[in-house]
Amino acid sequence: MTATQQGWKRRERPPRLERRLEFDDYEQTRDFLDAVAVICEPGGYYPDISFGRTYANISIHAEQDAADIAPERLALAERIEELMSARPTPGQP
């Protein structure tokens, strides 16, 4: 399954993937953000993230002047999606 099939939205100007993620509380949000930082370190690319107490908005941009999103950045979206699938959905125990 591709990242765009898992809830990521592809935008074209500039090329990027976007996703909003919901959490039950601030602790879950912080744990998720910390986990994203860990998976980003090896590749040295950190997506744009804005967050509040119970949500995070993530944008994964194509490299500057690139016409499309590189496979490594698509793979990052997949790894972020794996983090989400490893936790309960909001409102669930």
Side-chain angles (χ1 to χ4, degrees):
M1 185 178 297
T2 66
T4 53
Q5 292 170 326
Q6 295 174 339
W8 292 85
K9 294 179 184 174
R10 183 178 284 273
R11 306 290 188 204
E12 297 304 325
R13 294 185 188 180
R16 66 193 183 281
L17 292 175
E18 295 179 342
R19 178 92 154 88
R20 181 179 175 94
L21 305 162
E22 302 284 336
F23 303 93
D24 283 334
D25 55 35
Y26 183 71
E27 183 178 352
Q28 284 183 359
T29 305
R30 287 296 316 160
D31 290 345
F32 173 77
L33 295 172
D34 290 343
V36 169
V38 168
I39 65 173
C40 289
E41 283 228 6
Y45 173 74
Y46 298 87
D48 290 340
I49 301 175
S50 62
F51 66 95
R53 188 175 66 81
T54 60
Y55 71 90
N57 293 313
I58 302 178
S59 295
I60 299 175
H61 292 267
E63 294 179 23
Q64 188 171 357
D65 299 324
D68 203 3
I69 301 164
E72 300 82 24
R73 294 188 181 184
L74 293 172
L76 175 60
E78 296 289 339
R79 288 193 300 275
I80 291 170
E81 206 58 40
E82 289 170 7
L83 288 176
M84 291 301 294
S85 66
R87 68 166 193 77
T89 55
Q92 299 293 320

